[in-house]
Amino acid sequence: MPGSLIAIGDALPYLLRGSLVTLIVVIGAMGLGLVLGVPLAVGQVYGHPALRRVIAVYVWFFRGIPLLVLLFLFYFGLCTALDINLSAFAVAIVVLGLISSAYQSQIFRGAILSLPEGQFKAARALGMSDLKAISVIILPQAIRLSVPGWSNEYSILLKDSAVTYALGVAEIMARAHFVATRTYQQLPLYFAAGVIFLILTWVGTKGLRLLEEKVRIPGYSTHGL
Amino acid sequence: MMPAPILRIENISKRYGKKDVLQGASLEVNKGDLKILIGPSGAGKSTLLQCINFLVKPDEGRIWLDEQEVHYAHKRDLYAYRQKVGMIFQDFNLFDHLNALENVRIGMVKVKGMGKAEAGERAVMELERVGLGDHMQQYPAQLSGGQKQRVSIARALAMDPKVLLLDEPTSALDPELIGEVHAVIRDLGNNGMTMIMATHQIGFARSLASEIIFMEDGRILERGTPDKIFNHAENARTRGFCSKITELYGER
Amino acid sequence: MEEWLYIQTEVYPALLKGFWVSLELILPSAICGLVIGILVGVLRVYGSRPVMAAANAYVALFRGIPLVVQLFIWYFGLPYIGIYLSPFTAAVLGFALCSGAYHSEYIRGALLSIKRGQMLAAQSLGFHKVQMIFSIILPQAIRLALPGCGNEIIYLIKYSSLAYMITCIELTGQGKILASNSFKYTEVFLMIGACYLVMTSVAALILGRLEDRLRLPGFEHHRI
Ligand SMILES: Nc1ncnc2c1ncn2[C@@H]1O[C@H](COP(=O)(O)OP(=O)(O)O)[C@@H](O)[C@H]1O
Ligand SMILES: [Mg+2]
């Protein structure tokens, strides 16, 4: 037993540097997913039928194919075929971000659809254009309603980021495996990796809960959606 | 010579599928008028009011504001027109993510392009006018129904409308809160605001309306002074409706 | 011509083989996962305090730790204490335990949302606790939980690809081998992706049908 504790202790700084990589991947993917997800949601709710169809196919594609397959497809396939020189790290962020944009767009879409129709009507009655009504009235409310879904998305991305180990991204899992195969302390090291993920999930969801409190509007429930 | 009507509506029709919801409604409103729409539920009162500011696009018909015809297909004209025609909804439709002050201010800032400070001052004034000077920081969920409706009136007034459309503004309110909203509307009327209002509140209509318009099945069946409609209606349906509604809502 | 021959003799049999392995992984995992989820969900709501705490701990652990890490623990980690599992067994064990934890969340939520009056009525008729849970509560709860559990099964189909990472050669693994041999990464992984799209779409269709079949007035879900 002490042997395993020593192994974990020795590897800890190395693993913690991996959690920095993990966090950058997750935050990058979440940001990309947000930037793409909001316009996708708006397009899917208010867009031309042809546009809605296209977005629906996009969402279906990125939600229907496993992350691992998409990572392989982009890293070994598309990057080579299109002669794009991206590191495994960058591909990990892009692929996770694209997948997340599909999921986030559905979170926002649900939030937009859950707003009472009267909000849009009242904005129009004041003389707002549709674009203005969406940006000033609809989105600020929809984004607040989306925070719980967002916090869920964070913990999913955090766990999914461990899969990028398959491309050799030096995140927590890759480092745990690297040490484990050299020290033969597999169980303790994978366990340590698991605990680090648990802590990151806990810290992140706590942080997002605080954000939720901060953007909360009195009497405006974001639960039970 | 009579002054030209401030708002003229000619032959507005609207169908939903096979159902004729409005069949050629026409209306002339002079400055300072308070026209009251009455009629059974489903008569088309809300649809008519929403057609007037094109929240519902009429299939047929024309509208003039200040003798200028409104071309709603022309977006810029439409938005400019809607600023001049305020709308009060039955269920308030306050913006849930904004407090009372911000609700009143947002139209001025985002639509009229006023500065925040100037718009804020005006918003304070309008809220004080409707008796909500003490509730400016409250969010919709923290206000009573009557307070919400008064904020929504302040929000509309802040746009300097020439005409105010009110769609059953007190129907969603508990009886004891109706009075405070009626007081605000009465005040507006006394100050010369032009209004078209759908309501079931017969007492209010009787004491303030310049004209009562009775609608049924998408048609205007009869119109006239309150005295005429409530006491000497020509149409049997009008008489039937008035006696029923008087029984329900009483003389207040 | 040569291309076609290659597809016929190499690609098609390999993918078919991989596809069957994937199915063999998914089906038992899905069934075991559901059973675990229902049991754990019930225990988390109606269990005694220690049982409830244990069930909650299980769910927190298995939902909080990435599935890859769990699979590594089962396959590469257990030999450390002298337990050797085949890649296939380790994968099924990992999938079932993990998806069971997720299922239990939906079951628990559904159980909690059933009105107290239902239980009072059952008790007043003389049902005892277990009878009441199985004949009154669960039939309602499963309808409420179905969309969430259905989603979970679709996730499972996708996550079954992770078995490749513990050397269980299923669809993704076969794809990786094919692609490395032929260097046709884009084509092969698009094909693999299409296979998964078919699987997830068919599963979604079946689950939608099932939802329609089980639909009762008052238990509708508004799909958005
Ligand atoms: N969006 C719509 N689609 C179909 N029918 C509608 C719609 N809006 C209103 N209607 C129908 O139009 C008729 C008039 O409705 P409304 O104008 O709301 O009446 P009122 O306000 O007088 O009660 C009703 O029969 C209603 O069912
Ligand atoms: Mg109405």
Side-chain angles (χ1 to χ4, degrees):
Chain A
M1 262 298 126
S4 58
L5 284 181
I6 290 167
I8 291 177
D10 284 347
L12 205 56
Y14 182 65
L15 291 184
L16 288 180
R17 252 174 288 137
S19 52
L20 210 63
V21 177
T22 295
L23 278 180
I24 294 172
V25 169
V26 170
I27 290 166
M30 242 174 121
L32 181 60
L34 179 71
V35 169
L36 295 176
V38 171
L40 283 172
V42 171
Q44 209 176 2
V45 177
Y46 300 113
H48 185 274
L51 178 66
R52 284 186 225 177
R53 189 89 41 89
V54 172
I55 295 174
V57 170
Y58 174 93
V59 171
W60 172 73
F61 183 87
F62 282 106
R63 294 209 306 181
I65 298 181
L67 168 61
L68 187 60
V69 175
L70 287 173
L71 285 173
F72 286 160
L73 175 66
F74 277 72
Y75 187 61
F76 296 118
L78 292 179
C79 281
T80 321
L82 304 176
D83 208 14
I84 305 169
N85 207 351
L86 280 183
S87 66
F89 177 74
V91 170
I93 292 180
V94 169
V95 171
L96 279 169
L98 290 176
I99 295 176
S100 183
S101 74
Y103 281 98
Q104 289 194 45
S105 76
Q106 298 312 292
I107 298 173
F108 291 127
R109 175 165 166 262
I112 292 174
L113 290 177
S114 75
L115 295 176
E117 198 199 353
Q119 296 289 313
F120 213 126
K121 258 194 182 153
R124 278 186 178 147
L126 286 177
M128 290 192 191
S129 65
D130 287 2
L131 205 63
K132 194 157 269 173
I134 291 170
S135 64
V136 178
I137 303 300
I138 303 297
L139 282 184
Q141 298 188 45
I143 285 177
R144 280 185 176 81
L145 289 176
S146 300
V147 176
W150 222 46
S151 133
N152 194 36
E153 188 61 21
Y154 163 78
S155 67
I156 291 175
L157 275 172
L158 185 65
K159 286 176 274 175
D160 278 357
S161 72
V163 178
T164 65
Y165 149 67
L167 298 188
V169 177
E171 46 71 69
I172 302 167
M173 189 58 212
R175 289 171 187 245
H177 190 58
F178 180 82
V179 180
T181 47
R182 270 153 197 79
T183 59
Y184 298 101
Q185 301 281 336
Q186 283 91 347
L187 199 53
L189 275 157
Y190 296 139
F191 231 86
V195 171
I196 294 177
F197 276 109
L198 277 177
I199 293 171
L200 291 180
T201 307
W202 186 80
V203 170
T205 32
K206 260 278 169 339
L208 283 165
R209 179 100 19 101
L210 285 182
L211 174 72
E212 198 177 325
E213 274 314 302
K214 199 160 174 186
V215 300
R216 212 177 80 92
I217 292 161
Y220 196 84
S221 169
T222 55
H223 295 280
L225 242 190
Chain B
M1 206 187 86
M2 282 279 289
I6 192 166
L7 183 73
R8 189 147 67 87
I9 295 146
E10 207 175 271
N11 217 12
I12 299 275
S13 299
K14 177 71 189 174
R15 298 172 70 93
Y16 281 115
K18 283 212 173 92
K19 190 169 160 43
D20 284 305
V21 176
L22 277 181
Q23 313 186 41
S26 299
L27 205 60
E28 282 189 5
V29 187
N30 291 314
K31 189 156 173 18
D33 273 356
L34 170 52
K35 304 266 185 194
I36 293 215
L37 298 175
I38 61 170
S41 163
K45 306 181 293 293
S46 300
T47 309
L48 176 59
L49 288 172
Q50 298 202 23
C51 278
I52 292 177
N53 70 351
F54 300 105
L55 288 175
V56 168
K57 304 281 187 292
D59 299 328
E60 269 172 59
R62 300 165 71 182
I63 295 178
W64 290 262
L65 180 71
D66 274 339
E67 297 187 84
Q68 294 250 330
E69 183 163 4
V70 185
H71 298 285
Y72 74 82
H74 200 281
K75 290 280 188 226
R76 200 174 287 271
D77 284 5
L78 173 65
Y79 301 146
Y81 167 75
R82 279 180 179 157
Q83 291 177 46
K84 292 183 219 144
V85 179
M87 178 100 189
I88 306 299
F89 300 88
Q90 183 176 340
D91 46 1
F92 329 125
N93 290 339
L94 289 185
F95 301 126
D96 293 322
H97 65 308
L98 303 176
N99 66 26
L101 185 79
E102 292 164 338
N103 257 287
V104 179
R105 196 177 58 188
I106 193 155
M108 290 184 277
V109 174
K110 295 291 178 181
V111 179
K112 286 192 153 175
M114 278 165 76
K116 263 201 174 155
E118 191 193 349
E121 275 170 34
R122 176 69 190 271
V124 169
M125 205 185 87
E126 294 298 345
L127 282 167
E128 278 168 353
R129 168 134 77 128
V130 298
L132 288 173
D134 296 337
H135 295 79
M136 295 195 282
Q137 303 304 323
Q138 244 129 37
Y139 283 88
Q142 298 169 312
L143 296 169
S144 74
Q147 291 169 335
K148 277 192 239 190
Q149 195 58 294
R150 286 187 281 153
V151 174
S152 100
I153 292 173
R155 178 174 72 179
L157 292 177
M159 303 296 286
D160 284 320
K162 301 196 159 167
V163 180
L164 210 51
L165 311 173
L166 302 101
D167 189 1
E168 301 195 26
T170 56
S171 289
L173 301 180
D174 292 335
E176 77 270 22
L177 301 179
I178 291 177
E180 63 190 56
V181 173
H182 276 170
V184 169
I185 299 172
R186 183 176 298 128
D187 217 42
L188 285 176
N190 292 339
N191 286 319
M193 176 57 77
T194 312
M195 293 182 274
I196 309 175
M197 170 170 168
T199 188
H200 291 301
Q201 300 294 329
I202 296 304
F204 182 80
R206 195 188 280 257
S207 65
L208 282 173
S210 48
E211 187 178 48
I212 306 256
I213 295 161
F214 175 67
M215 287 184 71
E216 195 175 66
D217 291 334
R219 265 185 254 264
I220 295 178
L221 288 192
E222 193 166 0
R223 59 178 93 200
T225 61
D227 179 54
K228 180 193 162 207
I229 297 291
F230 290 118
N231 302 326
H232 319 286
E234 288 160 17
N235 193 310
R237 324 256 345 175
T238 316
R239 284 197 299 273
F241 178 77
C242 287
S243 69
K244 219 184 313 173
I245 203 91
T246 312
E247 208 174 283
L248 270 177
Y249 292 87
E251 290 288 311
R252 255 194 285 238
Chain C
M1 205 60 226
E2 207 174 312
E3 285 277 294
W4 181 241
L5 198 71
Y6 176 71
I7 289 179
Q8 246 184 348
T9 57
E10 301 277 330
V11 178
Y12 180 71
L15 291 190
L16 195 66
K17 207 163 89 189
F19 175 76
W20 282 117
V21 177
S22 284
L23 270 190
E24 281 167 16
L25 282 169
I26 293 165
L27 285 178
S29 306
I31 292 166
C32 296
L34 258 177
V35 172
I36 295 173
I38 291 172
L39 283 177
V40 173
V42 169
L43 292 179
R44 289 176 71 195
V45 177
Y46 302 114
S48 62
R49 249 171 205 290
V51 171
M52 207 187 262
N56 283 336
Y58 156 76
V59 173
L61 270 183
F62 283 79
R63 287 182 66 219
I65 296 178
L67 181 54
V68 188
V69 179
Q70 294 179 35
L71 291 174
F72 272 54
I73 289 177
W74 300 133
Y75 184 65
F76 295 114
L78 283 188
Y80 184 78
I81 51 171
I83 300 172
Y84 293 83
L85 298 178
S86 73
F88 181 85
T89 316
V92 171
L93 178 71
F95 294 152
L97 285 173
C98 183
S99 71
Y102 282 93
H103 282 306
S104 85
E105 278 288 283
Y106 297 110
I107 300 285
R108 173 173 173 271
L111 288 173
L112 288 176
S113 73
I114 289 168
K115 289 180 213 70
R116 249 183 79 72
Q118 298 287 311
M119 283 171 251
L120 294 180
Q123 280 161 348
S124 74
L125 287 174
F127 281 65
H128 59 67
K129 201 168 175 181
V130 176
Q131 271 174 340
M132 177 184 81
I133 290 173
F134 280 91
S135 52
I136 306 293
I137 308 297
L138 271 182
Q140 297 188 29
I142 285 174
R143 286 185 168 82
L144 292 173
L146 192 61
C149 292
N151 260 338
E152 208 36 58
I153 287 176
I154 289 170
Y155 272 109
L156 175 66
I157 294 175
K158 290 190 291 168
Y159 281 122
S160 71
S161 61
L162 297 185
Y164 158 74
M165 294 178 77
I166 53 168
T167 73
C168 176
I169 304 303
E170 37 64 78
L171 192 53
T172 309
Q174 291 289 1
K176 189 78 200 307
I177 295 169
L178 270 178
S180 315
N181 291 342
S182 64
F183 295 105
K184 293 188 195 309
Y185 283 96
T186 307
E187 294 84 340
V188 170
F189 284 118
L190 276 177
M191 257 190 287
I192 301 282
C195 291
Y196 279 105
L197 273 176
V198 169
M199 281 197 273
T200 47
S201 303
V202 168
L205 208 73
I206 293 174
L207 287 161
R209 287 273 167 80
L210 185 65
E211 239 174 88
D212 289 342
R213 177 79 66 85
L214 292 178
R215 174 158 303 161
L216 289 178
F219 286 83
E220 295 89 353
H221 283 277
H222 301 287
R223 260 176 262 176
I224 43 174

